[in-house]
Amino acid sequence: MALADMRPPIESGCPDGFQYMHPVMVKNYGNWHYHEHPRPGVLLHVAHSGDKIWTVKAGTQRILDVFTLRKLCQIGDEQGEGFVRFTLRSNIEYMVADEAKVEPLIKALEDAGFVVGGTANSISTLSHTQGWLHCDIPGTDASGVVKAMMDELIDDFKNCRMPNRVHITTSCCQINCGGQGDIAINVQHTKPPKINHNLVSNVCERPSVVARCPVAAIRPAMVNGKPSLEVDEKKCICCGACYPPCPPMQINDAEHTKLAVWVGGNHSNARGKPTFQKLVAAGIPNNPPRWPEATAIVKQILKAYREGARDWERINDWIERIGWPRFFEVTGLPFTKYHVDNWRGARHSLNASTHIRF
Amino acid sequence: MADKHHETPMLDELENGPWPSFISGIKRLRDQHPEKRIRDVTNSLLGQLEHSYETRKGYWKGGTVSVFGYGGGIIPRFSEVASAFPESKEFHTIRVQPPAGNFYTTDMLRQLGDSWEKHGSGLVTFHGQTGNIMFIGTTSEGTQHFFDDINEYGWDLGGAGPCVRTGMSCVGAARCEQSCCSEHNIHRKLLNRFTDDVHRPALPYKFKFKVSGCPNDCQNAIERSDFAVIGTWRDDMKVDQAEVKAFVAKKGRQYVIDNVTTRCPTQAMTLNDDDTLTIDNRNCVRCMHCLNVMTKALSPGDDKGVTILIGGKRTLKIGDLMGTVVIPFMKMESEEDYDRITELGETIIDFWAENGLEHERCGEMVERIGLVNFLEGIGIDVDPNMVSSPRQSSYVRMDGWDEEAEKWFARKQEEKRARA
């Protein structure tokens, strides 16, 4: 195509959401009074005007084929009112102003294989990254891990039996595109990258790769007469940060790329300030297609949380109250030297007191 | 259906179990789609994915693909095993900005699906972790055609690479009683000021805006964005004492003591003998817990605005960072307020573009140069709301103390005059 035939873009940016919003939501924008939770998967919002809107939330496979997308639309037209939105965890929400539509909508979604739930103190859909399906640096799959885990956790998506909401996330490399979660299942590499020295000088901008290393373990070197890079394996923390800018520094390994589980990440300011997740388990095999070892640990943690936490305690609130020694006791997970953070700025994570629970 | 299929014994395992299966979805395209191109590309994709499952490695490589006039917005993917799986050898993702609040009509979703089916694989995600609609899988040529198609009816590409990224905002004022600002207007005003920086990557690294309507921060803005806007209020929270009494009558005093008053992080609530609540609003930190539990009885106040935190990000390179308070409170009502917030965005992005190192997020730059230098760079005065506590180390040169103290008193005078 000649340049003259190319179509210049319309730089319209972020579209206006009001054009796609349910009319009751437009009318009562900024004037909502309170909400109720009539049953798992359903929210009722009441406006100061007295108007009401019901939301039915459902989990999907997230990677949608157009047939599934059309099925979701058809349900929205036939049983809903044609207005939907997607949550941060890729659940679909149908908004209706007519209460009589709620039950038929739930039935249509469930009949089509979708899962109604994910509200309040349930386990919502795992948020996930792209994994082997589409990422250029993944240590594991993402959609597959989520499918395998949600098969096991589905009853707690459909019910509200947890002390508070549970957000679980996954990340398929240590850059960690997945966010903080009450529980996070993330890739953890355990060996330094394997370097293909024949390719480095042609593929990689070497100074950028050197600069990318968090612990300054990479330096330029001549290998077999070619300019390349070498890694000080004593310093290397096996994070894989060099791999994206330099694909010949392969970090992924069928055996040594493992999974680690982190808990207590919480974005909300409710009760305490937002918290980062903390390491609790590692060395977990990256075991497709169903990752049973990782799922077993997640279920162990969830069981202890459900039995031990008080109403409204998120996982971080619960552990704050019972203490980390008790957490390792009730989950049966080992506490190792790898749990102790050991750089200058991490001193605040050491116990400089006699506050000990016996 | 005479198509020959790659064997997928491991992926087939992901068709078992009650949760909806993405593998079954991809197979539906492979087996039932009328167009041979889509049947072939999804068959090839499944073949490569099965190969990844067997060898526990990924086989996609990046590259450079965009549309005419832009420099980003596409995640290019070329297969390293294209000889075995040639039909999906180019499998680029197109990032498209969703409407603020992620609202859609079913008609619009259908229209997007129809366009995508014409030019791509038929696989789509609402939404990726950055917040984009992810149209997964097309060729370089399909990228341009699909964009030309949807751009005509109101959709534009999101950010990819070192640029301002697609923004996100919660459901907000559209359906939430806790909303303290017009999330969608703030989101669009900010993002659409930086459209050029979204489409033409020229910054040190990515820069994200996220807007949450209240401190519950459902959009994960503090931890996941460089520029977090969180709705809040500065007058007294509203208490409907009749509803408080009704709540106590329904749930019991013990429940209210255990789950509301004693959970207040600053002990700012008392349950009185007559089952009403007394709130110490001066010490309320707007954590939202009591409002979340008693949604009908307790509400945010009327004097609403936003808190802005700068520098949140995920692990690479120096570890996870939360944003830091840079604006404790600003009103978000008038045209001037909206201009002020976009100007703040401009100032911060300009300063970071000048001073950030390559591949250094804004928060990492703040960590490297110190918050005080950053504040001086963007022309904002220090405020005790920006710290959890004052410094603990005496190893600092303080011969400018008198001038700095004078500035504080002058500012306080100025605030007093402004209030009068």
Side-chain angles (χ1 to χ4, degrees):
Chain A
M1 210 184 304
L3 193 60
D5 301 331
M6 298 297 273
R7 171 190 167 282
I10 303 162
E11 301 205 33
S12 46
C14 173
D16 186 352
F18 287 94
Q19 62 189 314
Y20 306 122
M21 211 183 273
H22 193 289
V24 170
M25 294 164 83
V26 176
K27 182 187 160 204
N28 295 286
Y29 189 83
N31 283 303
W32 293 94
H33 182 201
Y34 66 96
H35 80 271
E36 287 173 1
H37 185 225
R39 54 152 281 176
V42 179
L43 298 170
L44 162 63
H45 286 85
V46 181
H48 287 290
S49 67
D51 288 352
K52 294 179 177 177
I53 196 150
W54 281 264
T55 300
V56 177
K57 186 189 275 201
T60 73
Q61 60 269 56
R62 184 171 183 261
I63 307 288
L64 303 173
D65 54 286
V66 283
F67 295 127
T68 301
L69 181 66
R70 288 186 186 126
K71 184 76 201 173
L72 290 167
C73 290
Q74 185 195 339
I75 293 169
D77 290 343
E78 291 174 0
Q79 277 78 32
E81 293 169 359
F83 295 92
V84 301
R85 70 179 293 273
F86 292 88
T87 70
L88 198 65
R89 314 190 88 70
S90 297
N91 297 312
I92 189 166
E93 293 184 333
Y94 293 84
M95 275 69 67
V96 292
D98 178 1
E99 185 178 7
K101 290 183 177 158
V102 172
E103 286 304 322
L105 184 50
I106 292 169
K107 185 172 184 309
L109 284 164
E110 288 179 342
D111 287 349
F114 302 110
V115 193
V116 173
T119 48
N121 48 330
S122 63
I123 299 176
S124 190
T125 309
L126 275 66
S127 72
H128 69 81
T129 50
Q130 292 284 46
W132 288 327
L133 183 75
H134 203 261
C135 184
D136 60 337
I137 53 171
T140 186
D141 198 26
S143 332
V145 182
V146 171
K147 157 67 180 159
M149 285 199 181
M150 287 312 293
D151 278 342
E152 301 271 324
L153 303 177
I154 188 167
D155 285 346
D156 282 304
F157 181 88
K158 292 200 263 191
N159 291 289
C160 298
R161 305 182 295 202
M162 288 289 158
N164 199 342
R165 69 197 62 226
V166 179
H167 289 165
I168 307 182
T169 75
T170 66
S171 278
C172 50
C173 77
Q174 283 187 240
I175 291 171
N176 287 327
C177 299
Q180 296 287 317
D182 292 290
I183 303 178
I185 305 104
N186 295 348
V187 154
Q188 186 82 24
H189 304 293
T190 60
K191 297 288 180 198
K194 290 201 185 89
I195 309 176
N196 182 342
H197 292 289
N198 291 325
L199 295 179
V200 169
S201 62
N202 287 334
V203 178
C204 316
E205 199 182 295
R206 292 189 302 153
S208 308
V209 184
V210 170
R212 197 69 61 89
C213 179
V215 293
I218 303 174
R219 57 191 170 228
M222 293 294 284
V223 182
N224 303 328
K226 285 186 180 170
S228 186
L229 294 164
E230 64 183 13
V231 172
D232 180 342
E233 298 202 351
K234 287 239 167 61
K235 280 168 102 178
C236 178
I237 50 170
C238 315
C239 70
C242 51
Y243 181 51
C246 190
M249 299 180 77
Q250 176 61 264
I251 188 70
N252 293 308
D253 184 280
E255 189 192 340
H256 299 298
T257 292
K258 305 281 192 189
L259 300 177
V261 172
W262 306 67
V263 306
N266 182 356
H267 289 98
S268 174
N269 291 269
R271 299 170 299 285
K273 294 179 179 180
T275 52
F276 286 129
Q277 58 212 16
K278 318 289 192 287
L279 176 73
V280 293
I284 305 160
N286 179 22
N287 193 5
R290 284 204 157 262
W291 294 270
E293 299 85 356
T295 306
I297 289 175
V298 168
K299 287 175 79 173
Q300 250 170 287
I301 295 167
L302 287 167
K303 182 171 178 285
Y305 166 62
R306 188 180 159 188
E307 286 170 357
R310 294 178 181 160
D311 286 353
W312 295 97
E313 278 181 342
R314 293 279 289 267
I315 286 184
N316 65 302
D317 299 318
W318 166 58
I319 299 171
E320 178 75 25
R321 179 172 58 79
I322 67 165
W324 285 101
R326 193 80 75 234
F327 171 85
F328 285 96
E329 188 185 310
V330 295
T331 55
L333 295 168
F335 184 80
T336 70
K337 67 178 184 179
Y338 298 109
H339 290 98
V340 183
D341 211 343
N342 57 359
W343 64 290
R344 175 64 181 81
R347 280 201 63 85
H348 69 84
S349 69
L350 307 181
N351 185 8
S353 76
T354 57
H355 288 208
I356 294 173
R357 294 168 177 83
F358 295 105
Chain B
M1 286 295 158
D3 298 348
K4 199 166 167 322
H5 294 157
H6 292 291
E7 295 289 317
T8 55
M10 290 185 93
L11 299 182
D12 296 350
E13 293 287 319
L14 291 173
E15 293 196 274
N16 303 326
W19 193 260
S21 169
F22 70 110
I23 296 297
S24 303
I26 303 174
K27 282 191 182 177
R28 267 195 295 278
L29 292 174
R30 181 193 71 180
D31 298 340
Q32 297 170 25
H33 203 278
E35 204 182 325
K36 185 168 185 315
R37 179 185 58 82
I38 287 184
R39 293 201 304 273
D40 288 348
V41 77
T42 46
N43 177 45
S44 179
L45 175 72
L46 286 168
Q48 177 169 332
L49 189 58
E50 175 75 17
H51 183 52
S52 279
Y53 270 61
E54 283 165 5
T55 58
R56 302 183 187 181
K57 288 257 179 74
Y59 295 97
W60 298 109
K61 279 293 149 268
T64 310
V65 176
S66 190
V67 298
F68 178 69
Y70 289 175
I74 312 293
I75 305 298
R77 288 291 176 256
F78 298 91
S79 175
E80 287 186 307
V81 286
S83 55
F85 311 105
E87 294 87 354
S88 56
K89 67 178 180 186
E90 284 188 51
F91 204 70
H92 314 316
T93 280
I94 301 172
R95 286 185 170 174
V96 173
Q97 292 195 50
N102 294 342
F103 299 102
Y104 300 91
T105 56
T106 48
D107 288 344
M108 182 43 75
L109 286 178
R110 262 201 211 87
Q111 194 178 352
L112 287 167
D114 291 349
S115 296
W116 182 232
E117 196 174 41
K118 244 187 280 170
H119 305 293
S121 70
L123 291 173
V124 59
T125 289
F126 296 88
H127 301 86
Q129 294 281 342
T130 297
N132 296 285
I133 316 173
M134 310 279 273
F135 293 93
I136 306 168
T138 188
T139 59
S140 302
E141 204 187 339
T143 300
Q144 183 71 51
H145 292 320
F146 176 69
F147 172 67
D148 286 343
D149 192 348
I150 64 167
N151 189 222
E152 286 294 330
Y153 58 88
W155 300 87
D156 199 359
L157 294 191
C163 62
V164 172
R165 295 293 185 87
T166 297
M168 292 174 96
S169 46
C170 62
V171 65
R175 198 198 59 196
C176 183
E177 67 272 15
Q178 316 289 30
S179 165
C180 295
C181 59
S182 181
E183 303 80 3
H184 313 128
N185 289 330
I186 298 171
H187 172 168
R188 290 190 71 233
K189 185 85 181 176
L190 284 169
L191 255 291
N192 292 343
R193 158 61 189 82
F194 296 101
T195 303
D196 184 44
D197 294 292
V198 171
H199 295 142
R200 296 170 192 88
L203 295 172
Y205 196 17
K206 61 183 90 165
F207 193 94
K208 298 184 178 186
F209 291 100
K210 293 193 201 296
V211 187
S212 283
C214 83
N216 280 317
D217 194 3
C218 291
Q219 215 44 229
N220 303 344
I222 294 178
E223 193 271 328
R224 303 204 69 172
S225 68
D226 302 271
F227 193 110
V229 183
I230 313 280
T232 187
W233 70 96
R234 60 182 173 183
D235 57 343
D236 294 353
M237 78 164 76
K238 292 195 222 170
V239 185
D240 182 334
Q241 298 289 6
E243 286 296 341
V244 173
K245 285 184 183 179
F247 188 87
V248 177
K250 189 172 160 210
K251 304 289 269 190
R253 304 201 92 222
Q254 183 76 42
Y255 182 91
V256 178
I257 293 164
D258 286 349
N259 290 285
V260 185
T261 54
T262 57
R263 298 293 182 87
C264 174
T266 53
Q267 285 88 53
M269 311 187 86
T270 312
L271 181 64
N272 303 313
D273 284 344
D274 64 354
D275 290 345
T276 59
L277 279 174
T278 300
I279 316 283
D280 172 10
N281 278 285
R282 286 285 287 172
N283 283 310
C284 166
V285 289
R286 282 71 177 152
C287 90
M288 299 303 293
H289 174 76
C290 60
L291 284 82
N292 293 341
V293 180
M294 302 174 69
T295 88
K296 210 169 176 178
L298 306 176
S299 316
D302 289 321
D303 189 8
K304 292 171 176 171
V306 299
T307 298
I308 296 173
L309 298 94
I310 301 296
K313 57 171 279 293
R314 203 61 171 86
T315 313
L316 184 70
K317 163 181 168 176
I318 67 166
D320 295 28
L321 299 176
M322 301 279 181
T324 301
V325 171
V326 163
I327 303 288
F329 185 88
M330 70 182 276
K331 293 295 284 180
M332 280 310 298
E333 280 167 3
S334 67
E335 198 59 37
E336 292 77 47
D337 295 334
Y338 279 83
D339 289 343
R340 270 184 67 211
I341 201 170
T342 47
E343 279 162 24
L344 181 70
E346 287 166 22
T347 308
I348 288 174
I349 288 175
D350 285 351
F351 181 80
W352 168 63
E354 282 286 313
N355 295 283
L357 304 176
E358 188 205 330
H359 219 262
E360 185 177 57
R361 291 285 286 271
C362 186
E364 293 175 305
M365 177 196 67
V366 175
E367 170 121 343
R368 179 169 54 81
I369 69 175
L371 180 69
V372 170
N373 284 326
F374 174 65
L375 293 172
E376 282 174 7
I378 61 171
I380 289 179
D381 297 319
V382 291
D383 186 294
N385 287 303
M386 296 170 182
V387 297
S388 297
S389 75
R391 70 162 53 244
Q392 297 176 46
S393 164
S394 66
Y395 284 4
V396 58
R397 181 171 166 170
M398 290 197 264
D399 47 3
W401 177 271
D402 290 343
E403 293 87 337
E404 293 302 317
E406 201 39 57
K407 282 185 202 166
W408 167 265
F409 290 121
R411 277 206 302 281
K412 291 288 127 187
Q413 281 282 327
E414 184 56 37
E415 282 166 25
K416 211 171 160 187
R417 258 201 303 278
R419 272 200 304 271

